[in-house]
Amino acid sequence: FDRVDDGFSSDLEKTGEHETVLEQNGETRYFKVMLETLRRGQENFIGYLLRFLDITDHKIEMQRMEQMATFDDLTHIFNRRVFYSKATEAFDQAVLNKSHFAFIMFDLDNFKEVNDIYGHQAGDRVLAEMASTVKRILDETDIFSRYGGEEFIIYCSNRDPDKAYELAENLRSTLGNHVFEYNAHKIKITASFGVSGATRQVTK
């Protein structure tokens, strides 16, 4: 090979198996590589056989299942179960580091009217575009999740409640001024926000 990934040789030496990624005609393919020792009889060593098993379909299916278990299908942000896990971990880290944190929760006002007037496909489009709009404003360390139908929650790392309030106001204003479009319809929405956090050091 011109280039092999890290662990290729050591894995084959230790276990006789290794998973690797190769490019074939511009397409990424996943392979399980297996090293077998060839012998004639019990003792006579004659060489090695390196076998490649294409496991691309399996890997893609596993990635799809992981995606479904982690992200909300419609908005492509974390689902509530994953939020609890990640926010708990981030909270524990904040306690250890004595750093600030806060939560922002919001829901879209009278969102049922969007579905009733323009249809559920329009509602789905608004939710997806809204989530994308919010994500562009958040920091990479913030944890954004769909909490319910039109309810959303954000764990804010390294922000005290005052900073989280400023962020919530920015998000509220941005969403209130944003125009969503669906089938030539212009749709406006507003959102109600709540902010919670600790102003002092949190200890367990």
Side-chain angles (χ1 to χ4, degrees):
F1 300 101
D2 294 331
R3 181 182 62 84
V4 295
D5 54 282
D6 294 338
F8 188 96
S9 299
S10 60
D11 281 356
L12 291 180
E13 289 173 4
K14 292 175 185 176
T15 66
E17 293 185 359
H18 180 76
E19 284 191 12
T20 190
V21 180
L22 299 175
E23 295 288 331
Q24 286 189 339
N25 301 321
E27 181 184 1
T28 300
R29 306 293 297 181
Y30 298 87
F31 290 89
K32 183 176 184 179
V33 186
M34 293 160 285
L35 180 67
E36 297 179 8
T37 302
L38 300 179
R39 299 183 184 278
R40 184 178 291 112
Q42 292 293 324
E43 302 295 335
N44 296 327
F45 169 77
I46 60 174
Y48 295 102
L49 173 65
L50 199 60
R51 292 196 297 127
F52 286 77
L53 177 63
D54 191 331
I55 57 171
T56 303
D57 290 344
H58 172 72
K59 293 291 284 189
I60 291 175
E61 179 63 17
M62 293 297 293
Q63 291 169 359
R64 186 186 68 83
M65 292 176 66
E66 182 179 355
Q67 175 88 4
M68 290 175 60
T70 304
F71 297 97
D72 175 64
D73 241 3
L74 176 62
T75 58
H76 304 298
I77 60 177
F78 292 125
N79 60 40
R80 183 164 61 180
R81 180 185 63 82
V82 172
F83 175 83
Y84 284 143
S85 174
K86 288 186 173 292
T88 299
E89 183 179 337
F91 171 82
D92 290 342
Q93 198 64 45
V95 172
L96 288 173
N97 296 339
K98 299 181 180 180
S99 57
H100 294 295
F101 66 90
F103 291 89
I104 297 173
M105 196 161 189
F106 68 95
D107 65 353
L108 304 185
D109 301 326
N110 304 312
F111 186 72
K112 183 176 181 297
E113 293 182 3
V114 175
N115 289 326
D116 291 344
I117 296 172
Y118 302 104
H120 285 277
Q121 288 186 331
D124 289 349
R125 174 74 65 83
V126 168
L127 287 175
E129 188 174 335
M130 180 280 302
S132 179
T133 301
V134 169
K135 280 175 66 175
R136 286 196 292 270
I137 297 174
L138 300 179
D139 291 341
E140 289 185 1
T141 54
D142 295 328
I143 304 169
F144 181 31
S145 165
R146 187 178 185 184
Y147 193 79
E150 62 268 16
E151 298 175 322
F152 298 84
I153 190 168
I154 305 166
Y155 176 91
C156 303
S157 297
N158 302 313
R159 281 195 180 95
D160 61 23
D162 289 339
K163 292 294 185 183
Y165 176 81
E166 292 176 6
L167 172 62
E169 275 295 297
N170 184 12
L171 293 172
R172 184 191 63 79
S173 175
T174 298
L175 293 179
N177 291 320
H178 188 86
V179 178
F180 300 86
E181 295 189 16
Y182 180 77
N183 285 351
H185 296 294
K186 296 185 184 300
I187 303 171
K188 297 276 286 182
I189 62 168
T190 58
S192 298
F193 286 76
V195 177
S196 177
T199 56
R200 296 190 221 172
Q201 174 60 36
V202 175
T203 58
K204 287 190 174 181

